[in-house]
Amino acid sequence: GNSVTQMEGPVTLSEEAFLTINCTYTATGYPSLFWYVQYPGEGLQLLLKATKADDKGSNKGFEATYRKETTSFHLEKGSVQVSDSAVYFCALSLNQFYFGTGTSLTVIP
Amino acid sequence: DAGVIQSPRHEVTEMGQEVTLRCKPISGHNSLFWYRQTMMRGLELLIYFNNNVPIDDSGMPEDRFSAKMPNASFSTLKIQPSEPRDSAVYFCASSPILPGPEYGYTFGSGTRLTVV
């Protein structure tokens, strides 16, 4: 079947630290991959996406590369800020969306 | 565009009462999705519509839940009778086509439902 597995949280980092949130997927076809972010009290917002193997999605300093050989789409940011504190969801899209369970990130000053 | 609009933002109701959640998708989006989010179960897809027609309602937890989309600009999710275990945040999302590679969903801000 189709599914997404994210690293367990919560993750706590100091400001300006490097961030990696791991995401791997299982898919029966050729999905598009997404990262969504949910700030407290809000809905999910699309952060970045990649539609085919080796594509790199990027936005607001975040990046993720579609790795077909490792079925992964890890989220990275070189220097996190307090304002990045949120829950991050990895997702794949085939006939419908499949979301991971979310990873909570807290960035402390 | 105003985005996906949900109402109310917060709802507190007593067990046994009927609850109706509302959603206005983005104009031109022909797919609409209802999700439920809880700490225990994460994000769950309840039902989705394409061109106002329900396509998959297998995620609807039980007969107490029903959803309608009478036109392209409005959908409701109804719970009757409500129970405390229905307490959750309910999100509506829309997209311009059936979920496909190029498009993501646009989510509303959600309705936080508390059943006491």
Side-chain angles (χ1 to χ4, degrees):
Chain A
N2 303 309
S3 66
V4 173
T5 302
Q6 290 183 234
M7 65 183 285
E8 293 283 332
V11 174
T12 302
L13 294 174
S14 297
E15 205 165 23
E16 300 184 359
F18 185 86
L19 168 71
T20 300
I21 300 178
N22 289 337
C23 171
T24 57
Y25 67 90
T26 302
T28 54
Y30 300 96
S32 291
L33 301 174
F34 299 78
W35 278 100
Y36 279 79
V37 58
Q38 184 179 27
Y39 299 102
E42 299 184 13
L44 279 70
Q45 302 174 23
L46 178 62
L47 180 60
L48 54 83
K49 66 181 180 182
T51 58
K52 61 183 186 296
D54 300 325
D55 271 2
K56 176 185 284 188
S58 61
N59 186 25
K60 299 181 181 179
F62 290 89
E63 293 183 341
T65 301
Y66 190 141
R67 301 287 188 198
K68 186 179 178 183
E69 63 275 14
T70 54
T71 62
S72 65
F73 193 55
H74 304 322
L75 182 68
E76 297 182 336
K77 186 174 185 182
S79 176
V80 293
Q81 305 300 312
V82 172
S83 56
D84 294 326
S85 298
V87 180
Y88 292 82
F89 292 88
C90 185
L92 71 84
S93 170
L94 277 170
N95 56 328
Q96 63 173 280
F97 263 65
Y98 299 85
F99 285 93
T101 53
T103 301
S104 175
L105 169 68
T106 301
V107 180
I108 54 177
Chain B
D1 198 315
V4 176
I5 300 173
Q6 291 187 246
S7 64
R9 285 298 308 272
H10 303 275
E11 177 79 35
V12 180
T13 191
E14 291 185 347
M15 183 174 61
Q17 296 298 306
E18 177 181 294
V19 176
T20 300
L21 311 181
R22 297 173 175 80
C23 175
K24 176 179 169 55
I26 290 175
S27 178
H29 284 194
N30 61 358
S31 295
L32 183 140
F33 310 84
W34 283 101
Y35 282 85
R36 178 171 67 177
Q37 186 179 39
T38 60
M39 290 293 292
M40 292 297 295
R41 301 170 71 95
L43 268 172
E44 301 174 275
L45 176 63
L46 300 178
I47 185 171
Y48 75 91
F49 297 83
N50 189 34
N51 292 322
N52 313 336
V53 176
I55 303 300
D56 184 353
D57 66 353
S58 59
M60 297 285 263
E62 46 196 281
D63 291 345
R64 298 184 297 106
F65 286 69
S66 63
K68 295 182 179 179
M69 192 164 187
N71 57 61
S73 59
F74 184 66
S75 177
T76 59
L77 178 67
K78 184 177 294 186
I79 308 173
Q80 166 63 19
S82 58
E83 297 182 3
R85 60 193 169 117
D86 301 331
S87 298
V89 181
Y90 291 81
F91 288 105
C92 176
S94 69
S95 71
I97 58 174
L98 272 172
E102 305 91 80
Y103 294 101
Y105 294 177
T106 302
F107 281 80
S109 298
T111 295
R112 181 175 294 277
L113 173 65
T114 303
V115 183
V116 298

